Amino acid sequence: MNDGFKGSESSHFQKGLQYFRKNALDKAVEHWEKATEQETVNAEIFSVLGGAYKLLNEFDKSSLALKRALDLEPDNFKYIYNYGLILFEQKRYREALEKLNYALQLHPDNFELINDIAVMYFNLKNYPKAEEYLIRATELNPDYYFALVNLGYVYLYTERMDEAVKVMKRLDMANLHNIEVADFRQQLKTMQNNDDMSEIDPHLEMSEKTYEIEPIHLIKDFEFESVGDRIDLSIVVPIMNEEGNIQILYDKIQDVMKSLKQSFEIIFIDDGSRDKSLSIMKEIASKDSNVRVIQFRRNYGQTAAISAGFKYAHGAVIITMDGDLQNDPADIPRLLEKMSEGYDLVSGWRKDRKDKALTRKVPSKVANALINKLIAGTGIQLHDFGCTLKAYKRGIVKNINLYGEMHRFIPVFAAWIGVKVTEIPVKHHPRIHGYAKYNLSRVTRVIFDLLVVRFFSDYMTRPIQFFGKIAKKILFTGTGILIASGIVKAFLPFPFTWDTLLILFGILCVSSFQIVIMGLLGEMIIRHYFEGQKKDYYIVENIHSKDTGIN
């Protein structure tokens, strides 16, 4: 891609790439704008600029840049498709439809494009055309569930219940467990029960991807194209007070990567270390251009650190591992080998775990058993959700938002949106340097986060079902205790009245229920705040790399 950029234009383009890799998108755009002012500019730079403006939610500038790319290469399928999707974002449906139909002439068998054209027709209220194109997409690829779900919504909206039920049966036969299918199932039930169109929320999904397929891009969007050299692997390592382990871990990773012969980067996340960890990582980064250090302003926890690693990673595959040397970098090739069999996420299983039984191993087994019970419907059952050593395809982690202690539940999120998850045994070494950051107090935090995960996966669109089940259990349990207390009081002289017993128990039930509701409402508000405004819940103080000019 870079071959077309010469002289000062190349300098501005490359400088923009450097800022882009540092997540300084505003500065990247400044340099890319300067690159477009050169006389020898080509279409690719305008396409890159259009993608950058899209990330900044500046759709007018994005569409203008993509139009200039099309002026230079009017028959480029990628530019036509992306320009059509930007027009869709601007609600210019007829113009978007014109562009996408032209793209379809170039690639008539692109089922994702056909799905997107159907969505355009739906928004123009041309339901017969939407149905026609969705049927065509499902015929080209019977496993493309986006088009199937969209077809089901068309049938719901046009009140053709029998056809909608047939679509749901096809989805059930495919054994799909993801958010789109779950939402459609709930909408179908609402329609069947109420026979009221006002209850239906027709939400047709654009395709997963436009011009480059990656797993689970569940967004109405085109992905900002791969500017610069997309690397093969990103290795993300959260660090907190691991001064005795960092250099050894870095050397081990280097040895493994030399044998793999793949392009890679190492991203250390300094999670508020108070020892010499940060200075050691900065020293390594100053000598190795493949290493970056993301420095947090304070300690935010492992989930925040992993989330930041996902955000700043550029690899097609992202590996996460602990910084305490208990995970073995020598297992990385085995994770990748398993992933090559067609899996999207490969999780490590510390089968022979070298930790204390009472404080680490026993609570972990209990938590894993509880998680497996609660997610039985996903078809995913793992031995070790807490193992940090995992391999993810890029498309998964770029579409999952993490909070609390939820990094361990990424396989659960992935299973709910229908990707392939598996597990392999990995080595586990006893800790030699430093001290463990985990204790039994984290068990309750994990359980509460699991409760949130369960709520958001199954009951987000129908919270009354969730609260209703809790209320029912409290009611039955309370009634049982009340009856048992009455029987005991009838035969034994307990010094309390019926009124006291009833009031105390009523307070207990109501208080417990209110606490649960307030907790979940708080989670919903926080998620809306961070996700709606695209905010991170951690603050990056600095980014350290060999390129000290743009720290």
Side-chain angles (χ1 to χ4, degrees):
M1 167 176 167
N2 300 341
D3 295 339
F5 299 95
K6 308 296 182 185
S8 61
E9 178 186 340
S10 174
S11 174
H12 282 303
F13 181 75
Q14 295 297 336
K15 194 68 174 178
L17 289 182
Q18 292 175 335
Y19 279 112
F20 174 75
R21 288 169 182 146
K22 298 293 183 181
N23 248 44
L25 196 53
D26 289 333
K27 290 187 176 291
V29 166
E30 289 179 16
H31 285 279
W32 287 335
E33 282 284 10
K34 290 177 182 177
T36 64
E37 296 170 2
Q38 307 299 316
E39 293 182 2
T40 57
V41 71
N42 66 18
E44 193 76 0
I45 181 60
F46 287 114
S47 176
V48 169
L49 190 60
Y53 277 127
K54 169 64 187 70
L55 290 178
L56 293 171
N57 292 320
E58 297 187 33
F59 299 120
D60 291 340
K61 291 182 179 180
S62 178
S63 64
L64 180 61
L66 287 169
K67 187 176 184 303
R68 293 182 70 183
L70 272 177
D71 290 341
L72 294 170
E73 295 185 23
D75 293 326
N76 187 302
F77 174 78
K78 178 176 67 177
Y79 300 162
I80 299 169
Y81 200 163
N82 287 343
Y83 184 46
L85 293 178
I86 283 294
L87 293 174
F88 176 84
E89 293 280 3
Q90 295 176 298
K91 301 188 185 305
R92 296 159 63 183
Y93 298 133
R94 294 190 182 279
E95 295 174 74
L97 189 57
E98 178 184 347
K99 291 299 178 185
L100 294 192
N101 272 316
Y102 181 53
L104 189 60
Q105 295 177 28
L106 301 175
H107 288 270
D109 293 333
N110 189 312
F111 54 86
E112 294 157 312
L113 172 57
I114 294 170
N115 172 83
D116 292 347
I117 292 174
V119 176
M120 305 288 178
Y121 277 120
F122 185 88
N123 281 275
L124 290 169
K125 302 187 186 307
N126 190 337
Y127 307 125
K129 273 290 186 183
E131 178 186 356
E132 175 189 333
Y133 276 82
L134 288 170
I135 290 174
R136 181 176 168 186
T138 58
E139 288 174 347
L140 284 169
N141 186 349
D143 297 326
Y144 187 49
Y145 74 87
F146 268 96
L148 258 181
V149 171
N150 287 344
L151 183 61
Y153 276 119
V154 170
Y155 289 143
L156 278 185
Y157 202 68
T158 55
E159 301 186 71
R160 296 159 66 187
M161 293 300 297
D162 291 342
E163 297 296 332
V165 171
K166 289 179 182 178
V167 168
M168 192 67 252
K169 288 180 179 178
R170 287 179 63 181
L171 293 168
D172 288 338
M173 288 178 63
N175 196 29
L176 290 169
H177 301 281
N178 51 57
I179 295 170
E180 287 72 30
V181 174
D183 285 346
F184 174 64
R185 180 181 286 107
Q186 182 58 34
Q187 297 276 13
L188 177 59
K189 288 181 179 178
T190 300
M191 184 67 176
Q192 288 174 319
N193 294 336
N194 297 340
D195 195 24
D196 182 359
M197 276 301 300
S198 66
E199 296 291 330
I200 298 301
D201 177 22
H203 178 68
L204 270 65
E205 292 286 348
M206 298 293 284
S207 65
E208 300 180 64
K209 201 75 167 72
T210 57
Y211 50 85
E212 183 181 56
I213 302 300
E214 287 188 36
I216 65 161
H217 266 271
L218 307 179
I219 48 179
K220 299 186 185 74
D221 201 356
F222 68 86
E223 184 186 6
F224 182 34
E225 70 180 88
S226 308
V227 293
D229 298 325
R230 172 67 63 84
I231 63 176
D232 297 318
L233 294 176
S234 294
I235 301 170
V236 174
V237 187
I239 295 291
M240 181 188 173
N241 299 336
E242 299 288 356
E243 61 182 8
N245 297 315
I246 296 170
Q247 185 65 50
I248 301 172
L249 177 62
Y250 168 74
D251 293 338
K252 286 179 176 288
I253 293 174
Q254 289 282 41
D255 290 341
V256 170
M257 296 314 299
K258 286 176 184 177
S259 65
L260 280 178
K261 297 180 180 179
Q262 296 191 38
S263 59
F264 73 98
E265 64 180 351
I266 302 172
I267 302 177
F268 288 115
I269 314 295
D270 178 60
D271 188 21
S273 295
R274 296 183 298 275
D275 60 3
K276 297 179 181 178
S277 294
L278 179 59
S279 61
I280 295 171
M281 289 185 285
K282 288 170 64 176
E283 177 68 19
I284 293 172
S286 69
K287 298 176 181 177
D288 188 345
S289 59
N290 292 327
V291 176
R292 281 184 294 160
V293 180
I294 312 299
Q295 179 187 353
F296 281 178
R297 182 165 293 178
R298 63 173 177 83
N299 175 252
Y300 289 94
Q302 190 174 15
T303 296
I306 290 176
S307 182
F310 290 162
K311 177 178 178 179
Y312 288 93
H314 294 102
V317 174
I318 300 173
I319 307 286
T320 57
M321 63 188 311
D322 286 328
D324 56 10
L325 293 179
Q326 291 195 268
N327 293 147
D328 195 330
D331 283 317
I332 291 176
R334 297 180 57 246
L335 294 173
L336 298 176
E337 182 180 357
K338 191 67 177 178
M339 182 172 279
S340 68
E341 296 177 11
Y343 294 100
D344 303 306
L345 191 160
V346 182
S347 181
W349 169 22
R350 297 165 294 182
K351 191 173 183 179
D352 184 19
R353 188 169 178 177
K354 307 297 184 181
D355 280 323
K356 294 180 180 179
L358 182 61
T359 58
R360 302 293 296 278
K361 294 168 73 172
V362 172
S364 177
K365 286 185 178 181
V366 172
N368 286 318
L370 179 60
I371 294 170
N372 280 321
K373 182 175 178 60
L374 288 175
I375 66 166
T378 66
I380 299 298
Q381 297 285 281
L382 302 182
H383 295 87
D384 189 359
F385 286 90
C387 181
T388 305
L389 185 58
K390 293 180 173 70
Y392 310 85
K393 286 186 179 177
R394 177 183 177 85
I396 297 173
V397 300
K398 294 298 181 181
N399 288 281
I400 293 178
N401 297 302
L402 302 176
Y403 308 93
E405 300 287 331
M406 291 188 182
H407 65 276
R408 69 189 70 248
F409 299 128
I410 296 177
V412 181
F413 289 119
W416 270 314
I417 54 180
V419 303
K420 295 181 180 178
V421 180
T422 192
E423 182 181 50
I424 63 170
V426 295
K427 301 184 188 76
H428 192 248
H429 303 290
R431 175 183 275 275
I432 298 174
H433 305 287
Y435 60 92
K437 313 302 188 300
Y438 300 94
N439 53 52
L440 288 174
S441 66
R442 298 178 69 92
V443 174
T444 54
R445 294 163 62 182
V446 171
I447 291 173
F448 284 131
D449 278 332
L450 180 58
L451 179 66
V452 172
V453 169
R454 179 71 180 190
F455 173 74
F456 274 90
S457 64
D458 284 355
Y459 300 103
M460 184 63 179
T461 59
R462 47 196 178 105
I464 190 62
Q465 299 293 329
F466 182 85
F467 295 120
K469 287 183 178 180
I470 295 177
K472 183 174 69 174
K473 289 181 179 179
I474 290 176
L475 178 62
F476 280 114
T477 302
T479 302
I481 293 175
L482 189 63
I483 293 172
S485 300
I487 293 172
V488 171
K489 179 175 174 54
F491 294 98
L492 295 174
F494 277 112
F496 60 79
T497 66
W498 286 109
D499 290 343
T500 302
L501 178 63
L502 187 60
I503 291 171
L504 289 176
F505 187 72
I507 292 173
L508 174 65
C509 291
V510 172
S511 299
S512 300
F513 189 48
Q514 285 181 329
I515 290 171
V516 172
I517 292 177
M518 285 190 292
L520 289 173
L521 288 176
E523 285 285 340
M524 294 170 68
I525 293 168
I526 289 296
R527 279 175 176 259
H528 177 74
Y529 173 74
F530 284 114
E531 294 179 16
Q533 301 188 43
K534 300 185 184 299
K535 290 179 178 286
D536 297 318
Y537 70 104
Y538 53 84
I539 298 175
V540 174
E541 183 170 345
N542 213 333
I543 299 176
H544 307 278
S545 69
K546 192 173 181 179
D547 184 6
T548 55
I550 52 174
N551 276 357

